[in-house]
Amino acid sequence: MMGVLWGTAVPTTQAQDESLLWTVPRLLSSPGIFETSETEIISDPHGFIHVFWTETNPEDNVSIIQYATFDGVAWSEPNDVYVSAPDIDIITFAAALGQDGTLHLVWSEGNTGPIFYTNAPALEAYSARVWERPSSFGFPAYRMKMVIDSKNVLHLMFINFYGQEPGVYYTRSEDFGETWLTTVWIDPDIPTYDTPNVIKFLIDEKDGLHASWYYAATDLSSPLGEWVRYVNSFDGGVTWSSPFTVDRADDGIDELRQPFPGLAIAGDTVHMVYAGNATTQREHRYSLDRGVTWSETRRVMGDLQGQALGDGFTTDSLGRLHFFGQIRWPQGVYHTIWDPSKPEAGWTTPQMAYVISSSPEEGREGRYHAHSVRAGTINGNILVVTFTDEATGPLYAIWRKLDDVPEIEPLPIPTATATPEATATSEADAALTPTPPPFAGSDLAMPEAPPNAGLGIWIGVIPTLLLLGGIFGFRFYRMRNS
């Protein structure tokens, strides 16, 4: 039987269609909710990813920041971290993990703020009660992203879209959100009738800060992008480089249509991927020296076309960059890999991770449309991809394990130190009280074995052994008397 099972498993792992290696989509958002956002996916060193997104409840018109976690096997039940007042929209949010194991969360209510901030221990973030009471500050943020450096300094980049001076702004907090420095205007040379959109903000392994965005018409009368830009800071945000032009539209009417630039970092290599023409084919530029000098523009997905509100990037334990984007035809979520040790090889041949439709005539046949694709990694060898059905539909996740990539051994869950008691017992004899396992009470908790579990196994095995012994004994008896 084991041989038969092994034989049937081998062809699956050798299948040419990568979509067969991925799980079927799992609904992450609440049932009955049809307006969700893109996700923030954060990996921790203990073997979990932390996923945030927003939902809008149509019954009372409140906005909710939802949170769930995943260990590569089971998902926790989603839990609301924050619920707005009725008729108040959470326009954008951002999350990041500090070196001390604290999750930090910011969000904006309304098109011009205010911004709210809170934090919680990452391994207890499943409980809304452990999150600090939100504090607020009055930056006019429409879109924002946040990163945290090795010194636990919070760095915030946001877009002022509707304010008096539209542009990209930066600030930071060195006291866990208690106070924030005066904002720095990153792009005072912004075109008069343009406004920035789709901010990306990342930090590299050396605490270098990297940001990108694009400009569109202020009145949003056209979906065409006009200018894709990038900046960096190598001194903790004290000084910034002059914005670098990644691409700019020429006189052609079809240039940079909905570019939605994606920013990714793998080691010292910085990548920019964006939709570059009328058919929204993916264009790619990269820098091997942390954004100082840049390559020429290259194509990522060949002649495959499509744009669906952004793409997903993540790195594995080998340092390779994985790119996920919804393109066509066939239509689906495609996956390609960049190996930083062989930059001259470029991206691998795109493989389909999730199939939507083979052709316009076929239709989706019940499959989800896959917008706002985002990606993350668990232990360096489990890929997780999230996407929404349509632009703001229900939120789904798929995942797979990379069998040819080594696992990063997760750090053990820390335990609490002993609490001194007013007794004669010595400190050395005091028993340590372990921290409750994360996500206790959810489907991530490890079920305990029932009493006498081993006895139950033998109760099932012994009758089987007696039956087999009886059959062989009876056959032996008939052979001797025949």
Side-chain angles (χ1 to χ4, degrees):
M1 184 177 296
M2 290 178 63
V4 170
L5 291 175
W6 175 256
T8 59
V10 170
T12 301
T13 60
Q14 295 177 343
Q16 296 300 311
D17 186 354
E18 187 180 310
S19 64
L20 300 178
L21 302 177
W22 292 78
T23 64
V24 297
R26 181 192 194 276
L27 179 66
L28 287 188
S29 55
S30 303
I33 297 295
F34 299 101
E35 186 173 342
T36 64
S37 72
E38 65 189 47
T39 61
E40 283 267 27
I41 303 178
I42 302 171
S43 301
D44 74 17
H46 302 290
F48 299 97
I49 60 167
H50 307 265
V51 183
F52 295 86
W53 69 94
T54 63
E55 298 179 357
T56 300
N57 190 326
E59 295 183 359
D60 48 16
N61 198 29
V62 299
S63 294
I64 304 168
I65 299 178
Q66 291 277 34
Y67 166 84
T69 192
F70 181 53
D71 66 351
V73 177
W75 287 87
S76 67
E77 289 298 323
N79 193 27
D80 55 281
V81 172
Y82 177 79
V83 180
S84 75
D87 301 319
I88 297 296
D89 291 332
I90 297 175
I91 301 299
T92 185
F93 70 97
L97 178 65
Q99 296 286 333
D100 61 351
T102 300
L103 276 173
H104 301 262
L105 178 66
V106 292
W107 65 94
S108 176
E109 295 187 357
N111 291 331
T112 57
I115 294 178
F116 290 84
Y117 165 82
T118 184
N119 64 66
L123 295 178
E124 301 177 38
Y126 57 90
S127 172
R129 289 179 293 181
V130 305
W131 288 85
E132 294 290 333
R133 179 182 294 275
S135 58
S136 64
F137 41 99
F139 297 140
Y142 174 65
R143 303 286 184 190
M144 74 180 82
K145 290 294 180 182
M146 177 175 59
V147 298
I148 302 176
D149 65 24
S150 61
K151 298 178 182 178
N152 280 322
V153 175
L154 280 61
H155 302 267
L156 184 68
M157 189 80 75
F158 66 89
I159 285 175
N160 179 1
F161 192 96
Y162 293 98
Q164 294 298 318
E165 294 180 320
V168 177
Y169 291 82
Y170 163 81
T171 183
R172 66 180 179 274
S173 173
E174 299 175 356
D175 53 11
F176 295 97
E178 290 290 333
T179 59
W180 296 81
L181 298 185
T182 302
T183 58
V184 176
W185 194 353
I186 299 296
D187 61 337
D189 60 342
I190 180 174
T192 302
Y193 298 105
D194 282 2
T195 190
N197 204 352
V198 187
I199 187 77
K200 302 292 183 180
F201 192 28
L202 298 178
I203 189 167
D204 63 31
E205 298 172 351
K206 302 173 184 176
D207 280 349
L209 303 173
H210 308 259
S212 67
W213 65 93
Y214 82 95
Y215 294 116
T218 302
D219 59 2
L220 300 180
S221 59
S222 170
L224 305 183
E226 298 178 358
W227 202 1
V228 179
R229 306 187 86 181
Y230 161 89
V231 295
N232 59 41
S233 172
F234 298 140
D235 57 7
V238 177
T239 60
W240 289 86
S241 65
S242 298
F244 169 72
T245 297
V246 179
D247 200 351
R248 195 165 189 173
D250 57 22
D251 294 334
I253 194 172
D254 59 358
E255 279 292 322
L256 295 179
R257 180 177 182 270
Q258 293 182 332
F260 275 79
L263 181 66
I265 299 176
D268 287 342
T269 305
V270 182
H271 299 263
M272 289 283 296
V273 178
Y274 55 97
N277 54 30
T279 54
T280 58
Q281 293 168 327
R282 297 300 198 281
E283 307 288 351
H284 174 227
R285 296 190 72 175
Y286 64 92
S287 168
L288 299 176
D289 51 13
R290 303 174 69 202
V292 178
T293 60
W294 290 82
S295 71
E296 297 297 323
T297 303
R298 297 183 181 180
R299 188 68 51 79
V300 178
M301 297 282 190
D303 293 330
L304 295 171
Q305 305 168 3
Q307 172 57 278
L309 306 180
D311 305 312
F313 301 88
T314 191
T315 55
D316 61 28
S317 62
L318 298 176
R320 301 181 307 171
L321 180 66
H322 296 255
F323 169 87
F324 297 89
Q326 194 253 76
I327 51 181
R328 57 184 182 269
W329 296 99
Q331 189 174 30
V333 177
Y334 283 77
H335 173 210
T336 182
I337 303 171
W338 174 279
D339 189 338
S341 66
K342 298 179 291 186
E344 68 284 351
W347 296 91
T348 60
T349 301
Q351 299 291 323
M352 182 85 75
Y354 176 68
V355 179
I356 298 174
S357 177
S358 296
S359 66
E361 294 76 21
E362 178 192 72
R364 288 192 282 157
E365 296 184 347
R367 302 185 187 101
Y368 311 117
H369 211 299
H371 283 64
S372 300
V373 178
R374 300 294 182 268
T377 313
I378 301 174
N379 297 333
N381 70 340
I382 298 177
L383 301 175
V384 181
V385 174
T386 64
F387 53 81
T388 59
D389 185 13
E390 301 294 349
T392 59
L395 179 67
Y396 295 89
I398 59 175
W399 60 96
R400 63 160 292 195
K401 184 177 181 180
L402 299 171
D403 295 324
D404 58 342
V405 175
E407 176 187 14
I408 298 174
E409 185 68 23
L411 296 180
I413 303 296
T415 56
T417 57
T419 302
E421 297 182 5
T423 65
T425 305
S426 67
E427 184 176 348
D429 295 333
L432 295 180
T433 302
T435 301
F439 325 122
S442 73
D443 56 0
L444 277 182
M446 185 66 68
E448 296 182 359
N452 300 321
L455 178 61
I457 293 174
W458 284 109
I459 290 175
V461 171
I462 290 175
T464 303
L465 294 176
L466 292 175
L467 176 60
L468 291 174
I471 292 174
F472 282 110
F474 179 71
R475 295 189 63 182
F476 181 76
Y477 172 81
R478 292 194 60 180
M479 291 175 63
R480 291 192 59 182
N481 292 278
S482 60

